[in-house]
Amino acid sequence: MGALAIAPRYANLLADAIVDVSAVRIRLLVPETNVAVVDTTVAFPVGVDSIAIRLTVPLESGLDFLLALAMTDAAGDTVFRAGPIPVKVSSSPFTVRIAEPVLTYVGVGANATAVRFVNPPLALNFGQTSALVAEALDAQGTVIPGTPIGYELVDPADSTRATIPDPKVGSITARSVRGVVPIRAVLATGQTVQHSIAIQPVATNVIAQ
């Protein structure tokens, strides 16, 4: 038996918040032949950021392997891949090696090169909510429908002025503190675009001078 811990990370930190994953396929391959000594798919419940898995790793082929991960959505489409990367399995349960593969987005819009806002609001009154819409574009400037897009405040400190409750849902609500709030739209492949919204009180009186 061999021991190996897997601690994958996303190439783009917001990607895991805007792309739902339902399963992960884990493969350990023999480097010279690419024969899989481990090939298993494990359910990954929505809303859970880690799972505990116990796998059996035969060591007849040595301690050096290639690790490949593929994460799929509810439709069974692969949305993230990592590897194959070289890993060394520990033959001792007291010395666990940690593999840190980087998950790259490969789903709809993986070929996007830019993102843009579509008619974003210039200002919001206290308590007002507005939709946020953005589009992903390919290298020719063509819109790629269905591309996951996340929305967030550029500076978390601006949450006193406005909130974006869910990064997957384009919606912003103004609070009761005046100021300018920069926001951004982010693709799972890392491209971003920024826009600033003025948060202001509702006028309650008009004075003629």
Side-chain angles (χ1 to χ4, degrees), residues 4-9 27-31 34 64-69 81-88 98-103:
L4 174 68
I6 304 171
R9 59 185 177 86
R27 292 188 298 151
L28 275 181
L29 312 172
V30 178
N34 279 343
D64 295 306
F65 296 94
L66 297 175
L67 170 66
L69 301 180
R81 287 190 186 277
I85 62 169
V87 295
K88 185 178 287 292
I98 301 177
E100 299 180 303
V102 177
L103 293 163

Side-chain angles (χ1 to χ4, degrees), residues 144-162:
I144 309 174
T147 301
I149 301 176
Y151 302 88
E152 64 180 359
L153 303 177
V154 173
D155 185 351
D158 282 330
S159 59
T160 58
R161 296 185 174 91

Side-chain angles (χ1 to χ4, degrees), residues 15-36:
D16 66 329
I18 62 177
V19 180
D20 289 332
V21 171
S22 62
V24 55
R25 182 184 181 190
I26 303 170
R27 292 188 298 151
L28 275 181
L29 312 172
V30 178
E32 295 78 10
T33 63
N34 279 343
V35 172

Side-chain angles (χ1 to χ4, degrees), residues 14 23 25 27 35 38 52 55-56 65-66 71 82 89 92 99 101 105 111 122 128 144 195 199 204:
L14 194 63
R25 182 184 181 190
R27 292 188 298 151
V35 172
V38 171
L55 301 174
T56 300
F65 296 94
L66 297 175
M71 306 187 85
V89 175
S92 168
Y105 181 71
N111 61 325
L122 299 178
Q128 185 179 2
I144 309 174
H195 173 73
I199 307 300
T204 58

